[in-house]
Amino acid sequence: MNTKLVVTDKPEPNELGAIGENLSAFNDADVGPSERRTLAILVRDEAGALKAGINGYTGWGWLFTQWLWVDESLRGQGMAGRMLQAAEDEARARGCHSAWIDTFNPVAEKAYTRQGYEVFGELPDFPIGRTRKFLKKKL
């Protein structure tokens, strides 16, 4: 079989979907189904505008928080902790035993450690001058 390696910054959505589907099928056969489910926490103001949120998923008994954002108007008011608590509660309801998150922001790291997360790994200079930290928590 002849193959060709293609490097692109504009892959087709169906190609990305095929990569994900094939990897998921491989992993399911290797370690069992992930039972992956999206999990989002949304914070809206009285007009319905999004002011904070979490985007992540649960799978293989873990909660992964991919993105956590708080609008500047709500920072310093414990919103990150409240959203993480809501995500953790939902993860427990889904049967999860642990959670993980990563950040290179020292302020975010403090919020996560206040919530009970602990650093288990580091990636220096990601980005340059910062250290990306990986944190976990038993639920």
Side-chain angles (χ1 to χ4, degrees):
M1 166 175 41
N2 291 327
T3 59
K4 179 173 138 183
L5 186 71
V6 178
V7 177
T8 180
D9 64 348
K10 293 179 177 53
E12 295 295 325
N14 65 320
E15 293 170 321
L16 294 178
I19 293 167
E21 289 168 15
N22 284 298
L23 179 58
S24 291
F26 173 85
N27 286 337
D28 288 353
D30 185 36
V31 296
S34 70
E35 298 179 9
R36 181 176 171 151
R37 290 176 57 196
T38 299
L39 191 147
I41 307 297
L42 307 174
V43 178
R44 298 185 186 280
D45 68 11
E46 58 279 348
L50 187 65
K51 292 296 181 179
I54 284 178
N55 173 34
Y57 63 85
T58 56
W60 284 305
W62 284 80
L63 163 64
F64 171 56
T65 300
Q66 182 175 13
W67 297 330
L68 187 154
W69 163 75
V70 178
D71 184 78
E72 196 170 323
S73 66
L74 294 177
R75 292 182 190 156
Q77 300 175 36
M79 184 57 70
R82 290 178 21 219
M83 290 190 306
L84 282 168
Q85 187 63 56
E88 292 164 11
D89 290 346
E90 176 61 20
R92 276 188 210 90
R94 294 181 184 190
C96 291
H97 56 79
S98 300
W100 74 282
I101 192 168
D102 65 89
T103 187
F104 53 77
N105 182 295
V107 175
E109 180 187 353
K110 286 179 186 173
Y112 304 154
T113 56
R114 274 194 305 271
Q115 188 68 22
Y117 287 76
E118 60 184 46
V119 174
F120 70 89
E122 297 183 354
L123 187 60
D125 286 327
F126 189 96
I128 298 293
R130 293 276 183 99
T131 297
R132 183 169 223 127
K133 297 197 178 174
F134 300 85
L135 300 97
K136 66 178 178 173
K137 177 181 180 177
K138 200 82 166 141
L139 296 180

